[in-house]
Amino acid sequence: MTSARSAAAVFARWKAALADLLIRHGLSVQRGQRLAAFIIAAVEGAVIMCRAERSLAPLEAAADEIHALLGHALRGRPDAGHVPRA
């Protein structure tokens, strides 16, 4: 398996796991899948920026925005519960 296919397989597993979690907490299948892909892309992009900037600030900013986005997306969902802060 090539490294690109290996990476694609890992990202697909991450996306499926995160989407399943979001769907279990009340999001539609489509919204859960889109949001999972967005979160992974945001975190991975932030990691690249951290390396380029030699700073954790991009990852911290991404985490703050993801937390706010999840809080908004899950607000009022019966199974949402509390969105924990990592």
Side-chain angles (χ1 to χ4, degrees), residues 32-63:
Q33 290 174 343
R34 284 194 326 252
L35 194 51
F38 176 80
I39 290 168
I40 292 166
V43 170
E44 290 299 312
V47 168
I48 292 168
M49 292 175 68
C50 286
R51 288 180 178 168
E53 296 175 17
R54 297 178 190 248
S55 168
L56 290 177
L59 190 57
E60 292 167 346

Side-chain angles (χ1 to χ4, degrees), residues 5-26:
R5 283 198 314 216
S6 295
V10 169
F11 285 130
R13 285 193 305 272
W14 289 356
K15 180 183 168 191
L18 184 53
D20 287 346
L21 178 66
L22 295 169
I23 293 162
R24 282 197 315 268
H25 285 286

